[in-house]
Amino acid sequence: MSMLRNEGLKCNAAMREYMAERVRVLKPRQVALDRETLQYAEKIGGLQPGDTFKYANAQGGISKAVVCSMYDLPKSMVHPFLYCFSGMMTAHLFAFEILRFYLKQTGRVLPFLSSGKEGNKGLFKKLFYRNSGLIRKTEYDSYYALMAQIAGKEYAYRYYTPCTDDDTEGNLVEIYNFAKEQGLQEVTFVICSGNPFYDKRLLAEWMWQLRQEKFKDVKVNLVLAHCPIFLPNLPEVVPEAKISEIYLGYIAASIGPLKKDTVRFNGVTKSEKPERYGMPGVFNADWEKVRDIIVNYSNMGWPNYQEILYGIGHEEAVANIILSDLFARASYTPEDYDRGAEAMLKDYISFIGGAYTRQRGKFKLYLKNTPDERYFE
């Protein structure tokens, strides 16, 4: 606390790294969460297939964001791209599941797209900043590499584009610029985050941003495929596929901001700088049920989540953020991710009957011949 006070009670990326270099976590803490709390967190942050939201767009009209099951996408979409992002290193499995069932239902292959660097305050620096390993460089590089393991490089990397922005708004700008460079006047992004708690935050922020003048040249349609809670019964999985410091951090970062700087869909707001639409089920939620997650595991978040939701003082909130960051950094190794990712890929590839190779023939035929059984149900 003395160190924090001397540095002005900050918890930005620089301060987190400063503290991580000087404070050592000697042993991991016990991490547990009951299924009921997990499902309630999903209720707060997730959405249901069939949910729709109308919002003002940069073209001067009204757009509609659609939520669907990953197994039942809208059959008529304008220039659709399967967009995999968010940092959850399970998302590529959900994306491939979407890909193969869309092909079975429509006969069309969804092109694959990803973006996102490493914007989580340095928490994953030791994971991405290395020269070898299956998961490395950036979030999006990892997604492309993981997808290539299942679908082959030709499909996975066809629309590979280096990206530069670190945050959620930056990701939207990246894929918008991609669509613009493709010469499209309208595009549909089928969003697959792999994160069942992230639906409301993602749509709340992107729908609000898409009214801006900088998005006027291409009409962007949003189709969000809800990804269910996935805690596989495998000996080794990545930290995002088990109850871990990292997993709870993603939950906290997904639901924590939902009451912060909101604006109604009619444009009414009390915030000087609104950042997201107020989403249904947020303001009447029982936030005490997820207090432990927000207060003790916000390793990717900001202290004002605790201040707004629970009235916690700034000093205590900053200390909670720093502590959760320190525990999260000490909770994994890059090798954990590689072993877990390889184990999950092996299980999924076995389930669908093998990875795609050129020797198997046409990609469409390969997808069509994968099992009709659903991996996530």
Side-chain angles (χ1 to χ4, degrees):
M1 286 307 301
S2 176
M3 292 169 65
L4 279 174
R5 291 187 186 110
N6 288 340
E7 297 298 322
L9 287 170
K10 300 173 184 175
C11 61
N12 57 18
M15 187 59 188
R16 290 168 189 240
E17 187 166 1
Y18 176 87
M19 295 296 287
E21 290 171 351
R22 290 161 177 80
V23 180
R24 296 283 177 238
V25 174
L26 299 181
K27 61 179 182 179
R29 59 179 169 176
Q30 189 78 22
V31 178
L33 188 73
D34 61 89
R35 189 81 181 188
E36 185 179 347
T37 302
L38 200 64
Q39 290 170 334
Y40 194 77
E42 182 186 20
K43 182 179 179 181
I44 292 176
L47 290 166
Q48 294 293 319
D51 287 342
T52 60
F53 302 91
K54 293 181 179 180
Y55 59 97
N57 59 35
Q59 290 72 39
I62 300 295
S63 287
K64 183 169 68 172
V66 178
V67 182
C68 62
S69 161
M70 53 192 287
Y71 293 108
D72 190 21
L73 268 60
K75 300 305 180 288
S76 58
M77 297 183 287
V78 179
H79 295 299
F81 284 85
L82 176 56
Y83 176 55
C84 175
F85 98 115
S86 81
M88 292 279 283
M89 288 305 157
T90 55
H92 57 289
L93 300 179
F94 291 100
F96 197 84
E97 194 79 342
I98 291 170
L99 173 68
R100 69 189 190 94
F101 275 88
Y102 187 76
L103 181 283
K104 288 173 180 289
Q105 294 162 2
T106 67
R108 298 189 295 273
V109 176
L110 281 170
F112 181 75
L113 190 65
S114 185
S115 71
K117 293 184 74 180
E118 190 276 293
N120 290 323
K121 316 297 183 295
L123 177 56
F124 296 116
K125 190 172 183 178
K126 65 182 178 183
L127 176 62
F128 293 121
Y129 290 40
R130 56 191 182 132
N131 295 322
S132 62
L134 186 57
I135 297 176
R136 63 187 182 90
K137 295 173 70 176
T138 63
E139 292 172 1
Y140 74 95
D141 280 303
S142 299
Y143 283 139
Y144 281 113
L146 290 163
M147 181 59 79
Q149 294 282 320
I150 315 172
K153 291 183 178 180
E154 185 176 359
Y155 168 78
Y157 284 95
R158 181 179 178 185
Y159 292 101
Y160 176 88
T161 304
C163 73
T164 57
D165 288 301
D166 290 342
D167 58 19
T168 306
E169 181 177 4
N171 289 321
L172 178 59
V173 172
E174 294 280 0
I175 58 175
Y176 171 82
N177 287 339
F178 166 83
K180 190 173 178 179
E181 290 163 5
Q182 295 291 312
L184 301 175
Q185 293 183 319
E186 187 172 357
V187 67
T188 303
F189 292 120
V190 179
I191 305 167
C192 172
S193 72
N195 184 342
F197 316 97
Y198 192 28
D199 299 350
K200 286 180 186 175
R201 178 183 171 184
L202 181 57
L203 285 187
E205 293 176 3
W206 283 13
M207 290 187 300
W208 176 242
Q209 291 160 18
L210 282 170
R211 83 198 190 291
Q212 298 176 34
E213 178 74 10
K214 62 184 176 183
F215 296 110
K216 67 180 178 60
D217 292 333
V218 183
K219 182 182 179 183
V220 176
N221 304 303
L222 300 176
V223 173
L224 189 145
H226 177 73
C227 300
I229 294 171
F230 178 48
L231 299 170
N233 185 24
L234 294 172
E236 286 187 292
V237 293
V238 297
E240 288 93 349
K242 58 188 174 185
I243 304 299
S244 67
E245 297 275 355
I246 304 299
Y247 188 71
L248 298 187
Y250 271 105
I251 298 176
S254 300
I255 66 177
L258 287 174
K259 288 181 70 174
K260 176 181 176 290
D261 290 321
T262 60
V263 55
R264 295 181 183 178
F265 281 90
N266 62 7
V268 176
T269 181
K270 295 180 181 179
S271 171
E272 293 181 4
K273 294 182 179 180
E275 297 180 7
R276 57 188 61 82
Y277 283 113
M279 299 295 276
V282 168
F283 289 86
N284 61 355
D286 184 355
W287 285 91
E288 284 300 319
K289 289 185 177 181
V290 292
R291 184 186 183 103
D292 183 43
I293 299 173
I294 302 294
V295 173
N296 295 314
Y297 296 97
S298 285
N299 49 59
M300 308 175 197
W302 290 104
N304 49 21
Y305 305 168
Q306 300 171 53
E307 296 163 15
I308 292 170
L309 293 171
Y310 307 113
I312 292 174
H314 184 68
E315 181 173 300
E316 181 183 347
V318 169
N320 288 338
I321 294 289
I322 293 295
L323 283 171
S324 62
D325 178 80
L326 292 172
F327 276 116
R329 287 172 191 255
S331 71
Y332 78 91
T333 68
E335 291 73 28
D336 292 336
Y337 270 92
D338 284 344
R339 285 192 298 267
E342 287 167 357
M344 292 168 65
L345 281 169
K346 182 179 179 181
D347 188 75
Y348 183 74
I349 288 171
S350 174
F351 177 82
I352 62 173
Y356 175 74
T357 64
R358 282 181 174 271
Q359 288 72 32
R360 283 177 175 267
K362 293 183 178 179
F363 190 49
K364 281 187 177 182
L365 185 60
Y366 160 77
L367 292 173
K368 182 180 179 181
N369 289 335
T370 59
D372 290 336
E373 288 76 23
R374 301 174 177 186
Y375 185 71
F376 292 104
E377 290 188 2

